[in-house]
Structure formats: structure tokens, C-alpha cells
Amino acid sequence: MKNIIIANNKGGVGKTTIASQIVYALANKGHSVIGVDLDSQRNFTGSFEDVTDLGSALDLVTKGNPVVGELNAGDIGIVSGHKNLQAQNSDDVLLNVRNGLSKSTGADFCVIDAPPSFSEVVYGALLASDYLLVPIELKRFSLDGIEGVLEAFIAAQEHNPNLALLGLLPSRFDAVKQGERDALVALAESFERLIVPHAIRNRTLMCRPRMPGLPYPTSRHAAAEKRRQSSARSLSGFMKKLQERHAMARSLTDTLEKLAASGKLDKFSGGKQLDEDGAYQIDLASIEADPDQPRRMLDEGKLHSLSESIAAQGVLQPITVQPKNADDKHLIIMGERRWRAAQLAGLTPIPAIVREATAELRAIQLTENVQRADLTTMGIAQAVDQMREDGKKRPEIAKALGWSESAVSRYAGIAKMPDELQALARLSVPILALSDLSSLWKKDERAVRAFLAATPTENISRVTVAGLRVEIDAGQGAHSTDESDQRDQPVSRAAKPSRFLSEIAPDPEPEAIFSLTGPVAILCRYRADIGRILTDRKATSNTALMVSFADGNRIEEIALSEIELLEVIDA
Ligand SMILES: Nc1ncnc2c1ncn2[C@@H]1O[C@H](COP(=O)(O)OP(=O)(O)OP(=O)(O)O)[C@@H](O)[C@H]1O
Ligand SMILES: [Mg+2]
């Protein structure tokens, strides 16, 4: 039996919804499946009707009773959630859950729905699982938690070498929200290998899996029934992606190795025992940010929402600091944002793990800083430079960060860019736009300067730079045939979504959730309207495209510089 746990310490990210969909999908494929609801909310239990009752999860948690199914092919059995599960935090809980789940028998799969915290119950389940799938929401606040989830995974893997990470699964993805699309790109750039290349879209149909054997309710309405069938078909596409992940899950662990030295076992202790286990309550005033760290822009709004949550719940995840220095201060290794937010919340002291800042830990710190979404483009470039100064070669840096080598080169190239472009890097203009501008600068410095003077910083993107490129090329009368130049062409870059996005974006029809492959359409924004680029119709100017709005009721020719590319979807 393979145990799959769906967990994240963030609430409401879609764990239960995805867990129940996986149960149905596996059963539809003819597997026998046990679902275990470890959450006192019992939502997972409520997703099933007419399935075999396999008792209460409270017996598993309090007595370590093994989960026994004896199910036939295609059958589903449920170990129900219980309202008292949340209160279970005795010392035996972790071992009970681990022992009960590792002895589970009588089915092909056991799918475990975890509550939104890394409690003893969840750690026990992680210790008995073969796979961990982590749904994540692309709202910024959720992204902050990824570091903690990965640390928890490493901590659990230390004691359960069988545990493999299926990956981070973007959930409840709302493609219309610019912030979510940006987060997806940032996430892909930082953690590409760790992400399941498939987004679960924000769709209400997703949330009502009730009929046994069917992932969605059947409907008497023909259109809804068609959507249901399409969703069920695409669910199998999602399962295929998970199967591919299964093959690569173990190698993902390499990517996480760099986190391993950052306090592997700290998360095990959880709650009040943390103090005995290495996390101390340290006064905020005796902690300082590390002045040697790349400067990052801390978003004040985000900091405030974090501080509100800290004021309500305290700091849940300890920060990591160095031992006191000559000034009697601990410098922060990880968790500057939590420390600042705790200050805003008027909190003192804060839970902190004290570690020597070894060279290895410093490398981890740099890597993690590079991977934080709140670093400016220049901040990332400085961190990459620091790694180079520390003697790391380009391929090593690429491997440590999970990037391509060319991405490392692009950041390393910022130091050689003209001052004007370096200033933009400090304002966080995206790296690809900067590299494109830098190559155009060599071609036509005046045109680039004019473009920069006329374009507000927040509008400088690969797409607007692509417009400039077209203008420069048109002005020069001919396209360059130089091979290296063509390779650098921003137009093609702008038009071609990243490999990750092209994999993740497909959405077969408005109400379907899981992607199917097929012909694609490119969605774009022009002022307040969202349209579809007509790839089969040429505009009168070669710096414009034909765009269809309102389902083809309005077709207009739009200048390239006015178009913002949104996403590529299944047509
Ligand atoms: N893809 C989706 N589209 C729209 N709504 C969704 C989607 N996935 C989940 N939801 C809704 O979001 C809410 C939270 O989802 P769900 O219960 O699956 O999350 P969870 O991570 O299990 O939450 P909790 O942490 O409370 O256990 C529910 O109301 C659910 O119906
Ligand atoms: Mg849930």
C-alpha cells in the first residue's frame, strides 16, 4: 500500500478538495483506496457518501489502531475525522499515528488529508507516508510558508527515508489576477523543479465531489454534464502528471539538500516543547538583521498583515539566528520578515533557533535569500555575485538555486550593464526585460534612452521592450541575420511563454480544472479589456496584432506596445 499525504500548514489552500479528487481518480482507475481524515473539521469525510466506513481517526491517533481496509478493486473506504482530533497533543500521538498508518493494509492506496498545521498528528503521518503533495495558493502570504513546509519535509525524511516529495501544487489559481500570475512566475523561477507543472484553477465545480466513483456531481443539464465529463477526463491528465512526479520525486530531494542544515529536526518538536529542543524565546531587542545580507525590499503592506497574524497567534515558526556577537546581539540567518513583523505586533520575545553561521549555512542563507520573492532584481544579482565571490562556479550556483545556467549569467551580467539599467535593477525591473534592454542598448543607445524616458518604470516589461525592439529594427530597415543576435531577440522571448507557464496554463474550458493538451490561444490585455490574439490574421502594420474581444464580436488592430500578454490557454 502506498500512503500519500496532502499537507500544508496553511489553511484553506485546497488540501481537502485535492485529496478527495485524488481518491476518486484512483478509484476510477480501479484501485482500492482508503481515505484518512486527520482533520477535526471533517470536510474530507463529508466529501464521500456510500463508501465503506473504516472507523474513526481518533482511534488511530489515541490508540495507534492500524488502518485496515479489505477493499475490492475500485472501492473507497474512509477513516473519518473526529471533532476531538485537534485536542490530541500527548506525547504518544506522533508514534500512534506513525505506527497505525505504517501498518495499514487492505487497499492499494491510502490518501491522508492533513489539518492546516504541522502538529504531532501530521508529523506522525509524514513518518508513515511514501509521498507528500503540498497544495499552495499563489497569494503572497501563502508563499511565505513554503520554506517551513520544505523544512518540515526534510525533518520528516530524516526519520522516514521512504518519504518523497511529489511537489508543490499550485491550487485555486486565478489566472485573471496579475498578482497570482506574477507569483507563479516567481515561484517557477525559484522552485521550478519542485512544482507540479499543473495548476488547479479556482473553480467552484471543484468543490462538490459527492457521487461515489465520480469526481464531480452528475447533472441533468447537458452543458454542465459535458463540463463534468471533460473535467473527469482532464483529472486523468492531472493524475498522469502526478505519476511522472512519482518517477522524479526522489531526485527532488537533492534540490532540498541545501535546506537540510538549517535545523532539520526543529519542526518535530512543535509548540511548547520547542524551547527544550533548541528553539529559545529570545528578546526581540537582542536580535538584529544581518548587515551583510543583500538588501531586500520588505513590502510594508505584507509586513502589516503578517504582524496582525503574529499579534493574534504569535510566531509559529521559529526564526534562525547566530549566537550573540561582540555587541551582544544575535544576527538573523533566516526569518528577518517574521522578526520585523513581530516588532510591529509589539511582541517580545520571539522563538529562535541559535546556530553557528557556518560556510554551509551561509550558502543556504544566500540561496534562500535569492529565492525570496521580496528581493529586488539587484538584490538577487548581488546575492549571485556573493556566491561567485565565495568561489562557486556558475553550474554550482545554477544547481543550488534550481535555475538554468543562463539565468545565473543574466543576473551576473547586471554588474556590466550601463548605470541607467542598473538603477532599474534596483527598482526591481524584471531581469529578462533588463537583459533585452541591455542588448538593445548596444544597438541603439539613443532609442533605449528615449524609451526609458517615456516609459514609467512599472511598465517596463519584456512585452514593452519587445515593442521597442520592433521599432529599432524597423528604423534600421532590416533584421539582423547575426545568429547570436537572433538568439537574444526579445520579441521571440516575449511571445513565447516560459516552458513552465506553457505547461501550467492550459485550461480546456471555462469550468474545467485539469489541463488537457490541444490547440492553444494567447490571451492578452489591452487597457481594461481581455482579448485573444488572432494568430491567423495579419495586421496592416508589422508592429501590431489583430485581437478579438468579446468572443469575436469586436476585432481590432492593436499596437504591440499596448498589449500585455496574459497567458496561453487551450483553445
Ligand atoms: N480549485 C478550487 N476552486 C474554487 N474553490 C476551491 C478550490 N479548491 C478548494 N476550494 C474551496 O476553498 C475552500 C477551502 O478548500 P479546502 O477545504 O479544500 O482547503 P483546505 O486546505 O483543506 O482547508 P483547511 O486548511 O481548512 O483544511 C473550500 O470552500 C473549497 O470548496
Ligand atoms: Mg482541509
Side-chain angles (χ1 to χ4, degrees), residues 436-493:
D436 292 346
L437 278 172
S438 171
S439 65
L440 289 179
W441 186 280
K442 288 173 207 140
K443 234 175 166 174
D444 191 341
E445 182 182 324
R446 254 186 38 190
V448 176
R449 282 182 183 279
F451 168 84
L452 295 183
T455 315
T457 311
E458 64 274 17
N459 290 354
I460 301 177
S461 68
R462 273 186 291 161
V463 176
T464 51
V465 175
L468 169 66
R469 170 64 160 246
V470 172
E471 278 167 27
I472 291 177
D473 283 349
Q476 291 183 346
H479 290 273
S480 164
T481 49
D482 173 31
E483 204 185 294
S484 66
D485 193 55
Q486 287 206 338
R487 204 174 43 233
D488 256 8
Q489 270 207 13
V491 175
S492 57
R493 272 212 206 118

Side-chain angles (χ1 to χ4, degrees), residues 406-422:
S406 56
V408 176
S409 304
R410 271 196 290 271
Y411 279 104
I414 288 185
K416 291 188 219 106
M417 286 184 190
D419 290 348
E420 288 82 349
L421 298 186
Q422 292 200 15

Side-chain angles (χ1 to χ4, degrees), residues 325-386:
N325 59 16
D327 298 334
D328 218 23
K329 299 281 186 197
H330 295 277
L331 295 188
I332 297 173
I333 299 174
M334 279 174 280
E336 182 179 336
R337 197 190 344 230
R338 273 167 280 155
W339 169 69
R340 289 264 319 263
Q343 279 179 324
L344 283 177
L347 197 79
T348 181
I350 188 173
I353 295 157
V354 182
R355 300 210 177 276
E356 285 293 345
T358 56
E360 194 185 11
L361 202 52
R362 180 151 177 79
I364 292 166
Q365 176 189 26
L366 277 170
T367 310
E368 292 197 336
N369 278 333
V370 170
Q371 287 171 339
R372 297 203 98 100
D374 54 6
L375 269 188
T376 63
T377 308
M378 185 56 105
I380 298 175
Q382 284 167 343
V384 168
D385 278 351
Q386 180 69 54

